Amino acid sequence: MEYYVFATEAAAQACVDYINGTPWFPIVGTCSGQPAPTKQATTAWAEAPTEMLSGEWAVPRIPESRLDYVGVPQVDRDAFIAAFGQDIRDLTDAHFPVSEQPI
Amino acid sequence: MNLTHWALPSDHPYRYDGSEFGGPSLWAPNQLTTAAWYDASAIDTITESGGAVSQWDDLSGNDYHLTQGVGARQPDTGTRTIGGLNAIEFDDSANQGLGISSGSFSKSQPIDIFVVAEADNTGQNVFYDTNNAGLTLNFYTNTNFTMAAGKFVNQGAADTDPHVHFHRYKGASSLWGMDGSSPATVDAGTNNLPGLVVGNIRNYFTPGWTLNGAIAELVLVHSELSEADRQKLEGYLAHKWGLEDNLPGAHPYKSAAPTV
């Protein structure tokens, strides 16, 4: 999955706050192609940035297919990339700290 | 691919179940009293936006729906199949998972769980767990397949193939079986199941693991199934998801799916 990567937690959190503050949310999903307003909506894009093993902070990138679904205009996508997407990387679980399995 | 299986809602009285016209109907978990039942091939039970799943409905009738409101952590539908049928795909790097809280769902042992799933690697992948940081009852890969409810039971070397997994959580009399094999008696511990999460559990409590793989169907029964009913469930799942070749030769549903 692709991520926006930031040097500081504050910068990454600003990205999260911007995305979650857009009018794209909540997103009402569909069920068998029909709007399903009584089902769980998408209420935010990300909860918080994640610290990487490198010490940098990562925010999941919204896939283009999702932006297409929401109907985000290209001008808004370009503006967002200019403001937040200067460092986009394809990261895996190996880039994040390994968690211990709770008993 | 059995596209007609998807054509009607899962509760439609004339939904085609794959059986021959005029013949007996195929057996399904609705013949049992299930506590929770999630079927990724029943498209009308999945709420999605752009392929991202925000809700996976419970087919048991108990409304124990699994949800995920955070977009980045929603697994995908329509991207992956097992045996030609839709499965829910989870991305580990994005901590994708679906769950229900312990306040809404809590089950004590004994619990029988059947899950059809596959992992993309044999590293750390969790298929299901509680939704409670202090008490886990889970099934995962970490070199081996492992079930645990306070005690870890290694089930042999993990692989990346889809399987029908059966787990009975009943303390020192727990059972583990895979692909219809005769279950082995194991001691998995006595933890109960407060809440339920499939896929990533890091979303729900830290520390926790993720899943890189897919879940096709999960059936949870809050009792000990008889051997006959367990074998029906194994036969139903194996034939439905194209895994009947994995059933042992002596399994009663090796050659055909159970019917009613």
Side-chain angles (χ1 to χ4, degrees):
Chain A
M1 188 170 190
E2 289 188 325
Y3 284 80
Y4 307 106
V5 178
F6 300 89
T8 66
E9 182 179 12
Q13 186 63 53
C15 177
V16 171
D17 292 344
Y18 179 87
I19 295 175
N20 290 342
T22 66
W24 309 337
F25 303 101
I27 301 170
V28 174
T30 60
C31 195
S32 294
Q34 300 300 315
T38 62
K39 306 291 182 69
Q40 173 71 57
T42 303
T43 55
W45 175 246
E47 291 173 310
T50 305
E51 187 171 19
M52 300 165 59
L53 289 172
S54 63
E56 298 165 295
W57 292 81
V59 175
R61 186 184 185 195
I62 303 179
E64 289 296 315
S65 60
R66 201 79 195 281
L67 296 175
D68 292 342
Y69 179 86
V70 175
V72 179
Q74 189 61 48
V75 64
D76 289 346
R77 303 186 198 196
D78 293 342
F80 180 85
I81 292 293
F84 296 103
Q86 302 303 311
D87 187 353
I88 295 174
R89 301 182 206 170
D90 193 7
L91 305 178
T92 69
D93 216 29
H95 292 91
F96 299 101
V98 174
S99 298
E100 295 298 322
Q101 172 67 355
I103 297 174
Chain B
M1 186 185 303
N2 184 9
L3 288 174
T4 52
H5 183 73
W6 301 356
L8 293 171
S10 54
D11 60 351
H12 194 286
Y14 299 110
R15 178 182 164 104
Y16 174 60
D17 68 358
S19 59
E20 293 182 13
F21 291 110
S25 299
L26 290 178
W27 185 94
N30 58 10
Q31 299 293 321
L32 303 173
T33 300
T34 57
W37 175 19
Y38 309 98
D39 177 2
S41 76
I43 301 300
D44 60 313
T45 66
I46 296 171
T47 301
E48 54 88 19
S49 56
V53 179
S54 57
Q55 182 166 321
W56 192 6
D57 286 350
D58 171 20
L59 280 166
S60 75
N62 295 317
D63 290 343
Y64 292 137
H65 308 314
L66 303 175
T67 63
Q68 176 56 268
V70 179
R73 290 178 164 169
Q74 292 168 347
D76 291 321
T77 185
T79 58
R80 185 153 168 165
T81 61
I82 294 178
L85 298 177
N86 185 58
I88 305 289
E89 182 170 33
F90 296 79
D91 183 324
D92 63 345
S93 69
N95 298 340
Q96 291 177 343
L98 298 161
I100 183 170
S101 70
S102 57
S104 301
F105 175 94
S106 186
K107 302 297 175 188
S108 57
Q109 294 195 21
I111 302 165
D112 282 4
I113 299 178
F114 299 77
V115 61
V116 177
E118 65 183 1
D120 292 341
N121 58 67
T122 58
Q124 298 173 346
N125 294 287
V126 64
F127 295 105
Y128 65 77
D129 202 339
T130 68
N131 192 352
N132 183 307
L135 194 66
T136 65
L137 180 153
N138 53 24
F139 171 53
Y140 60 89
T141 66
N142 187 20
T143 306
N144 292 307
F145 286 117
T146 300
M147 65 182 285
K151 294 183 179 179
F152 298 104
V153 180
N154 289 331
Q155 306 175 338
D159 60 35
T160 57
D161 298 326
H163 294 286
V164 177
H165 298 276
F166 162 60
H167 306 123
R168 171 168 296 163
Y169 294 93
K170 190 187 175 192
S173 300
S174 297
L175 296 177
W176 162 69
M178 188 166 78
D179 294 325
S181 62
S182 182
T185 300
V186 297
D187 184 357
T190 57
N191 285 355
N192 294 318
L193 186 62
L196 177 65
V197 174
V198 298
N200 163 67
I201 60 174
R202 191 182 297 160
N203 186 12
Y204 300 88
F205 51 88
T206 301
W209 287 0
T210 57
L211 170 61
N212 217 24
I215 296 177
E217 188 160 359
L218 187 148
V219 182
L220 191 151
V221 180
H222 191 204
S223 64
E224 297 175 58
L225 285 181
S226 66
E227 180 181 23
D229 282 341
R230 171 179 57 77
Q231 291 176 325
K232 283 180 181 173
L233 249 175
E234 291 167 346
Y236 155 82
L237 292 170
H239 284 274
K240 177 177 179 178
W241 296 100
L243 303 173
E244 64 271 21
D245 287 348
N246 295 346
L247 294 173
H251 195 280
Y253 301 106
K254 172 69 175 176
S255 60
T259 57
V260 292

PDB file of all heavy atoms in Angstrom, chain B residues 168-199:
ATOM      1  N   ARG B 168     -12.435 -26.084  18.020  1.00  0.00           N
ATOM      2  CA  ARG B 168     -13.350 -26.104  19.168  1.00  0.00           C
ATOM      3  C   ARG B 168     -12.577 -25.609  20.378  1.00  0.00           C
ATOM      4  O   ARG B 168     -11.539 -26.176  20.731  1.00  0.00           O
ATOM      5  CB  ARG B 168     -13.880 -27.509  19.446  1.00  0.00           C
ATOM      6  CG  ARG B 168     -14.658 -27.593  20.790  1.00  0.00           C
ATOM      7  CD  ARG B 168     -15.406 -28.879  20.934  1.00  0.00           C
ATOM      8  NE  ARG B 168     -16.441 -28.964  19.908  1.00  0.00           N
ATOM      9  CZ  ARG B 168     -17.058 -30.107  19.562  1.00  0.00           C
ATOM     10  NH1 ARG B 168     -16.753 -31.224  20.177  1.00  0.00           N
ATOM     11  NH2 ARG B 168     -17.974 -30.097  18.610  1.00  0.00           N
ATOM     12  N   TYR B 169     -13.079 -24.548  20.996  1.00  0.00           N
ATOM     13  CA  TYR B 169     -12.461 -24.024  22.204  1.00  0.00           C
ATOM     14  C   TYR B 169     -13.224 -24.553  23.402  1.00  0.00           C
ATOM     15  O   TYR B 169     -14.372 -24.181  23.655  1.00  0.00           O
ATOM     16  CB  TYR B 169     -12.459 -22.486  22.168  1.00  0.00           C
ATOM     17  CG  TYR B 169     -11.577 -21.951  21.069  1.00  0.00           C
ATOM     18  CD1 TYR B 169     -12.100 -21.654  19.817  1.00  0.00           C
ATOM     19  CD2 TYR B 169     -10.206 -21.787  21.259  1.00  0.00           C
ATOM     20  CE1 TYR B 169     -11.285 -21.197  18.788  1.00  0.00           C
ATOM     21  CE2 TYR B 169      -9.383 -21.327  20.245  1.00  0.00           C
ATOM     22  CZ  TYR B 169      -9.926 -21.032  19.014  1.00  0.00           C
ATOM     23  OH  TYR B 169      -9.116 -20.583  18.001  1.00  0.00           O
ATOM     24  N   LYS B 170     -12.554 -25.461  24.117  1.00  0.00           N
ATOM     25  CA  LYS B 170     -13.169 -26.093  25.280  1.00  0.00           C
ATOM     26  C   LYS B 170     -12.054 -26.526  26.242  1.00  0.00           C
ATOM     27  O   LYS B 170     -11.911 -27.719  26.550  1.00  0.00           O
ATOM     28  CB  LYS B 170     -14.017 -27.294  24.854  1.00  0.00           C
ATOM     29  CG  LYS B 170     -14.880 -27.867  25.968  1.00  0.00           C
ATOM     30  CD  LYS B 170     -15.549 -29.159  25.530  1.00  0.00           C
ATOM     31  CE  LYS B 170     -16.308 -29.788  26.704  1.00  0.00           C
ATOM     32  NZ  LYS B 170     -16.738 -31.175  26.397  1.00  0.00           N
ATOM     33  N   GLY B 171     -11.246 -25.568  26.675  1.00  0.00           N
ATOM     34  CA  GLY B 171     -10.193 -25.850  27.625  1.00  0.00           C
ATOM     35  C   GLY B 171      -9.273 -26.978  27.187  1.00  0.00           C
ATOM     36  O   GLY B 171      -8.805 -27.001  26.036  1.00  0.00           O
ATOM     37  N   ALA B 172      -9.059 -27.936  28.100  1.00  0.00           N
ATOM     38  CA  ALA B 172      -8.167 -29.055  27.804  1.00  0.00           C
ATOM     39  C   ALA B 172      -8.784 -30.057  26.839  1.00  0.00           C
ATOM     40  O   ALA B 172      -8.100 -30.984  26.392  1.00  0.00           O
ATOM     41  CB  ALA B 172      -7.776 -29.767  29.102  1.00  0.00           C
ATOM     42  N   SER B 173     -10.052 -29.884  26.539  1.00  0.00           N
ATOM     43  CA  SER B 173     -10.735 -30.771  25.587  1.00  0.00           C
ATOM     44  C   SER B 173     -11.038 -30.054  24.275  1.00  0.00           C
ATOM     45  O   SER B 173     -12.002 -30.369  23.579  1.00  0.00           O
ATOM     46  CB  SER B 173     -12.032 -31.297  26.199  1.00  0.00           C
ATOM     47  OG  SER B 173     -11.780 -32.016  27.386  1.00  0.00           O
ATOM     48  N   SER B 174     -10.195 -29.073  23.932  1.00  0.00           N
ATOM     49  CA  SER B 174     -10.378 -28.362  22.666  1.00  0.00           C
ATOM     50  C   SER B 174     -10.049 -29.295  21.503  1.00  0.00           C
ATOM     51  O   SER B 174      -9.374 -30.317  21.673  1.00  0.00           O
ATOM     52  CB  SER B 174      -9.469 -27.125  22.621  1.00  0.00           C
ATOM     53  OG  SER B 174      -9.819 -26.204  23.639  1.00  0.00           O
ATOM     54  N   LEU B 175     -10.544 -28.926  20.338  1.00  0.00           N
ATOM     55  CA  LEU B 175     -10.296 -29.735  19.145  1.00  0.00           C
ATOM     56  C   LEU B 175      -9.724 -28.862  18.035  1.00  0.00           C
ATOM     57  O   LEU B 175     -10.056 -27.676  17.923  1.00  0.00           O
ATOM     58  CB  LEU B 175     -11.593 -30.382  18.640  1.00  0.00           C
ATOM     59  CG  LEU B 175     -12.296 -31.393  19.538  1.00  0.00           C
ATOM     60  CD1 LEU B 175     -13.600 -31.851  18.884  1.00  0.00           C
ATOM     61  CD2 LEU B 175     -11.383 -32.598  19.802  1.00  0.00           C
ATOM     62  N   TRP B 176      -8.870 -29.462  17.223  1.00  0.00           N
ATOM     63  CA  TRP B 176      -8.376 -28.790  16.034  1.00  0.00           C
ATOM     64  C   TRP B 176      -8.443 -29.752  14.862  1.00  0.00           C
ATOM     65  O   TRP B 176      -8.038 -30.903  14.949  1.00  0.00           O
ATOM     66  CB  TRP B 176      -6.925 -28.344  16.199  1.00  0.00           C
ATOM     67  CG  TRP B 176      -6.300 -28.066  14.860  1.00  0.00           C
ATOM     68  CD1 TRP B 176      -6.609 -27.051  14.033  1.00  0.00           C
ATOM     69  CD2 TRP B 176      -5.315 -28.859  14.180  1.00  0.00           C
ATOM     70  NE1 TRP B 176      -5.878 -27.145  12.866  1.00  0.00           N
ATOM     71  CE2 TRP B 176      -5.069 -28.245  12.941  1.00  0.00           C
ATOM     72  CE3 TRP B 176      -4.612 -30.016  14.515  1.00  0.00           C
ATOM     73  CZ2 TRP B 176      -4.159 -28.753  12.026  1.00  0.00           C
ATOM     74  CZ3 TRP B 176      -3.702 -30.535  13.597  1.00  0.00           C
ATOM     75  CH2 TRP B 176      -3.478 -29.892  12.368  1.00  0.00           C
ATOM     76  N   GLY B 177      -8.982 -29.282  13.751  1.00  0.00           N
ATOM     77  CA  GLY B 177      -9.002 -30.081  12.534  1.00  0.00           C
ATOM     78  C   GLY B 177      -8.846 -29.181  11.321  1.00  0.00           C
ATOM     79  O   GLY B 177      -9.149 -27.985  11.380  1.00  0.00           O
ATOM     80  N   MET B 178      -8.369 -29.735  10.232  1.00  0.00           N
ATOM     81  CA  MET B 178      -8.188 -28.953   9.010  1.00  0.00           C
ATOM     82  C   MET B 178      -8.598 -29.793   7.811  1.00  0.00           C
ATOM     83  O   MET B 178      -8.212 -30.969   7.705  1.00  0.00           O
ATOM     84  CB  MET B 178      -6.726 -28.511   8.867  1.00  0.00           C
ATOM     85  CG  MET B 178      -6.506 -27.526   7.722  1.00  0.00           C
ATOM     86  SD  MET B 178      -4.892 -26.701   7.784  1.00  0.00           S
ATOM     87  CE  MET B 178      -3.826 -27.984   7.145  1.00  0.00           C
ATOM     88  N   ASP B 179      -9.414 -29.198   6.938  1.00  0.00           N
ATOM     89  CA  ASP B 179      -9.847 -29.853   5.703  1.00  0.00           C
ATOM     90  C   ASP B 179     -10.513 -31.203   5.965  1.00  0.00           C
ATOM     91  O   ASP B 179     -10.303 -32.168   5.216  1.00  0.00           O
ATOM     92  CB  ASP B 179      -8.658 -30.018   4.745  1.00  0.00           C
ATOM     93  CG  ASP B 179      -8.132 -28.679   4.255  1.00  0.00           C
ATOM     94  OD1 ASP B 179      -8.961 -27.762   4.073  1.00  0.00           O
ATOM     95  OD2 ASP B 179      -6.911 -28.555   4.054  1.00  0.00           O
ATOM     96  N   GLY B 180     -11.297 -31.272   7.020  1.00  0.00           N
ATOM     97  CA  GLY B 180     -12.075 -32.468   7.289  1.00  0.00           C
ATOM     98  C   GLY B 180     -11.316 -33.598   7.944  1.00  0.00           C
ATOM     99  O   GLY B 180     -11.870 -34.704   8.091  1.00  0.00           O
ATOM    100  N   SER B 181     -10.085 -33.334   8.354  1.00  0.00           N
ATOM    101  CA  SER B 181      -9.327 -34.379   9.036  1.00  0.00           C
ATOM    102  C   SER B 181      -9.950 -34.664  10.396  1.00  0.00           C
ATOM    103  O   SER B 181     -10.635 -33.817  10.971  1.00  0.00           O
ATOM    104  CB  SER B 181      -7.876 -33.952   9.218  1.00  0.00           C
ATOM    105  OG  SER B 181      -7.813 -32.788  10.033  1.00  0.00           O
ATOM    106  N   SER B 182      -9.724 -35.873  10.906  1.00  0.00           N
ATOM    107  CA  SER B 182     -10.238 -36.221  12.223  1.00  0.00           C
ATOM    108  C   SER B 182      -9.622 -35.281  13.248  1.00  0.00           C
ATOM    109  O   SER B 182      -8.397 -35.194  13.358  1.00  0.00           O
ATOM    110  CB  SER B 182      -9.878 -37.675  12.544  1.00  0.00           C
ATOM    111  OG  SER B 182     -10.413 -38.037  13.792  1.00  0.00           O
ATOM    112  N   PRO B 183     -10.424 -34.543  14.022  1.00  0.00           N
ATOM    113  CA  PRO B 183      -9.855 -33.509  14.901  1.00  0.00           C
ATOM    114  C   PRO B 183      -8.970 -34.101  15.996  1.00  0.00           C
ATOM    115  O   PRO B 183      -9.252 -35.172  16.536  1.00  0.00           O
ATOM    116  CB  PRO B 183     -11.098 -32.843  15.512  1.00  0.00           C
ATOM    117  CG  PRO B 183     -12.225 -33.212  14.635  1.00  0.00           C
ATOM    118  CD  PRO B 183     -11.894 -34.558  14.076  1.00  0.00           C
ATOM    119  N   ALA B 184      -7.916 -33.370  16.315  1.00  0.00           N
ATOM    120  CA  ALA B 184      -7.026 -33.748  17.402  1.00  0.00           C
ATOM    121  C   ALA B 184      -7.465 -33.028  18.673  1.00  0.00           C
ATOM    122  O   ALA B 184      -7.883 -31.865  18.623  1.00  0.00           O
ATOM    123  CB  ALA B 184      -5.598 -33.367  17.060  1.00  0.00           C
ATOM    124  N   THR B 185      -7.393 -33.713  19.804  1.00  0.00           N
ATOM    125  CA  THR B 185      -7.718 -33.090  21.092  1.00  0.00           C
ATOM    126  C   THR B 185      -6.496 -32.331  21.595  1.00  0.00           C
ATOM    127  O   THR B 185      -5.389 -32.881  21.631  1.00  0.00           O
ATOM    128  CB  THR B 185      -8.129 -34.146  22.119  1.00  0.00           C
ATOM    129  OG1 THR B 185      -9.277 -34.842  21.635  1.00  0.00           O
ATOM    130  CG2 THR B 185      -8.463 -33.498  23.464  1.00  0.00           C
ATOM    131  N   VAL B 186      -6.708 -31.064  21.942  1.00  0.00           N
ATOM    132  CA  VAL B 186      -5.605 -30.202  22.371  1.00  0.00           C
ATOM    133  C   VAL B 186      -6.071 -29.360  23.561  1.00  0.00           C
ATOM    134  O   VAL B 186      -7.271 -29.253  23.830  1.00  0.00           O
ATOM    135  CB  VAL B 186      -5.151 -29.262  21.227  1.00  0.00           C
ATOM    136  CG1 VAL B 186      -4.597 -30.075  20.055  1.00  0.00           C
ATOM    137  CG2 VAL B 186      -6.307 -28.381  20.751  1.00  0.00           C
ATOM    138  N   ASP B 187      -5.112 -28.759  24.257  1.00  0.00           N
ATOM    139  CA  ASP B 187      -5.420 -27.833  25.348  1.00  0.00           C
ATOM    140  C   ASP B 187      -5.125 -26.422  24.869  1.00  0.00           C
ATOM    141  O   ASP B 187      -3.968 -26.003  24.820  1.00  0.00           O
ATOM    142  CB  ASP B 187      -4.583 -28.170  26.586  1.00  0.00           C
ATOM    143  CG  ASP B 187      -4.958 -27.284  27.783  1.00  0.00           C
ATOM    144  OD1 ASP B 187      -5.822 -26.392  27.619  1.00  0.00           O
ATOM    145  OD2 ASP B 187      -4.390 -27.504  28.863  1.00  0.00           O
ATOM    146  N   ALA B 188      -6.183 -25.694  24.502  1.00  0.00           N
ATOM    147  CA  ALA B 188      -6.007 -24.345  23.952  1.00  0.00           C
ATOM    148  C   ALA B 188      -6.193 -23.263  25.010  1.00  0.00           C
ATOM    149  O   ALA B 188      -6.078 -22.078  24.697  1.00  0.00           O
ATOM    150  CB  ALA B 188      -6.988 -24.112  22.808  1.00  0.00           C
ATOM    151  N   GLY B 189      -6.476 -23.653  26.259  1.00  0.00           N
ATOM    152  CA  GLY B 189      -6.714 -22.656  27.289  1.00  0.00           C
ATOM    153  C   GLY B 189      -8.193 -22.364  27.463  1.00  0.00           C
ATOM    154  O   GLY B 189      -9.046 -22.929  26.762  1.00  0.00           O
ATOM    155  N   THR B 190      -8.482 -21.499  28.386  1.00  0.00           N
ATOM    156  CA  THR B 190      -9.880 -21.312  28.791  1.00  0.00           C
ATOM    157  C   THR B 190     -10.424 -19.906  28.513  1.00  0.00           C
ATOM    158  O   THR B 190     -11.499 -19.550  28.995  1.00  0.00           O
ATOM    159  CB  THR B 190     -10.021 -21.597  30.295  1.00  0.00           C
ATOM    160  OG1 THR B 190      -9.133 -20.736  31.018  1.00  0.00           O
ATOM    161  CG2 THR B 190      -9.698 -23.051  30.607  1.00  0.00           C
ATOM    162  N   ASN B 191      -9.678 -19.093  27.748  1.00  0.00           N
ATOM    163  CA  ASN B 191     -10.184 -17.751  27.440  1.00  0.00           C
ATOM    164  C   ASN B 191     -11.501 -17.824  26.678  1.00  0.00           C
ATOM    165  O   ASN B 191     -11.711 -18.721  25.869  1.00  0.00           O
ATOM    166  CB  ASN B 191      -9.181 -16.983  26.584  1.00  0.00           C
ATOM    167  CG  ASN B 191      -7.982 -16.498  27.380  1.00  0.00           C
ATOM    168  OD1 ASN B 191      -7.936 -16.643  28.594  1.00  0.00           O
ATOM    169  ND2 ASN B 191      -7.008 -15.947  26.685  1.00  0.00           N
ATOM    170  N   ASN B 192     -12.356 -16.869  26.943  1.00  0.00           N
ATOM    171  CA  ASN B 192     -13.606 -16.755  26.209  1.00  0.00           C
ATOM    172  C   ASN B 192     -13.439 -15.799  25.030  1.00  0.00           C
ATOM    173  O   ASN B 192     -12.312 -15.390  24.715  1.00  0.00           O
ATOM    174  CB  ASN B 192     -14.730 -16.318  27.159  1.00  0.00           C
ATOM    175  CG  ASN B 192     -15.026 -17.389  28.195  1.00  0.00           C
ATOM    176  OD1 ASN B 192     -15.070 -18.574  27.872  1.00  0.00           O
ATOM    177  ND2 ASN B 192     -15.211 -16.986  29.448  1.00  0.00           N
ATOM    178  N   LEU B 193     -14.539 -15.420  24.406  1.00  0.00           N
ATOM    179  CA  LEU B 193     -14.476 -14.599  23.189  1.00  0.00           C
ATOM    180  C   LEU B 193     -15.260 -13.300  23.383  1.00  0.00           C
ATOM    181  O   LEU B 193     -16.419 -13.187  22.968  1.00  0.00           O
ATOM    182  CB  LEU B 193     -15.036 -15.398  22.009  1.00  0.00           C
ATOM    183  CG  LEU B 193     -14.939 -14.763  20.614  1.00  0.00           C
ATOM    184  CD1 LEU B 193     -13.493 -14.535  20.204  1.00  0.00           C
ATOM    185  CD2 LEU B 193     -15.647 -15.642  19.576  1.00  0.00           C
ATOM    186  N   PRO B 194     -14.648 -12.291  24.013  1.00  0.00           N
ATOM    187  CA  PRO B 194     -15.312 -10.987  24.131  1.00  0.00           C
ATOM    188  C   PRO B 194     -15.050 -10.145  22.899  1.00  0.00           C
ATOM    189  O   PRO B 194     -13.965  -9.625  22.672  1.00  0.00           O
ATOM    190  CB  PRO B 194     -14.629 -10.381  25.364  1.00  0.00           C
ATOM    191  CG  PRO B 194     -13.267 -11.011  25.390  1.00  0.00           C
ATOM    192  CD  PRO B 194     -13.365 -12.348  24.705  1.00  0.00           C
ATOM    193  N   GLY B 195     -16.042  -9.995  22.065  1.00  0.00           N
ATOM    194  CA  GLY B 195     -15.872  -9.281  20.807  1.00  0.00           C
ATOM    195  C   GLY B 195     -15.212 -10.176  19.777  1.00  0.00           C
ATOM    196  O   GLY B 195     -14.703 -11.256  20.103  1.00  0.00           O
ATOM    197  N   LEU B 196     -15.254  -9.760  18.537  1.00  0.00           N
ATOM    198  CA  LEU B 196     -14.689 -10.562  17.447  1.00  0.00           C
ATOM    199  C   LEU B 196     -14.073  -9.633  16.410  1.00  0.00           C
ATOM    200  O   LEU B 196     -14.678  -8.632  16.030  1.00  0.00           O
ATOM    201  CB  LEU B 196     -15.784 -11.414  16.791  1.00  0.00           C
ATOM    202  CG  LEU B 196     -15.380 -12.256  15.581  1.00  0.00           C
ATOM    203  CD1 LEU B 196     -14.375 -13.342  15.988  1.00  0.00           C
ATOM    204  CD2 LEU B 196     -16.615 -12.892  14.933  1.00  0.00           C
ATOM    205  N   VAL B 197     -12.859  -9.985  15.994  1.00  0.00           N
ATOM    206  CA  VAL B 197     -12.171  -9.248  14.941  1.00  0.00           C
ATOM    207  C   VAL B 197     -11.677 -10.247  13.909  1.00  0.00           C
ATOM    208  O   VAL B 197     -11.151 -11.301  14.269  1.00  0.00           O
ATOM    209  CB  VAL B 197     -10.963  -8.458  15.506  1.00  0.00           C
ATOM    210  CG1 VAL B 197     -10.184  -7.809  14.364  1.00  0.00           C
ATOM    211  CG2 VAL B 197     -11.416  -7.416  16.504  1.00  0.00           C
ATOM    212  N   VAL B 198     -11.844  -9.948  12.625  1.00  0.00           N
ATOM    213  CA  VAL B 198     -11.220 -10.748  11.576  1.00  0.00           C
ATOM    214  C   VAL B 198     -10.216  -9.849  10.855  1.00  0.00           C
ATOM    215  O   VAL B 198     -10.465  -8.674  10.620  1.00  0.00           O
ATOM    216  CB  VAL B 198     -12.240 -11.342  10.589  1.00  0.00           C
ATOM    217  CG1 VAL B 198     -13.188 -12.288  11.306  1.00  0.00           C
ATOM    218  CG2 VAL B 198     -13.030 -10.263   9.868  1.00  0.00           C
ATOM    219  N   GLY B 199      -9.073 -10.443  10.522  1.00  0.00           N
ATOM    220  CA  GLY B 199      -8.004  -9.657   9.911  1.00  0.00           C
ATOM    221  C   GLY B 199      -7.165  -8.992  10.981  1.00  0.00           C
ATOM    222  O   GLY B 199      -6.944  -9.566  12.047  1.00  0.00           O
TER     223      GLY B 199
END
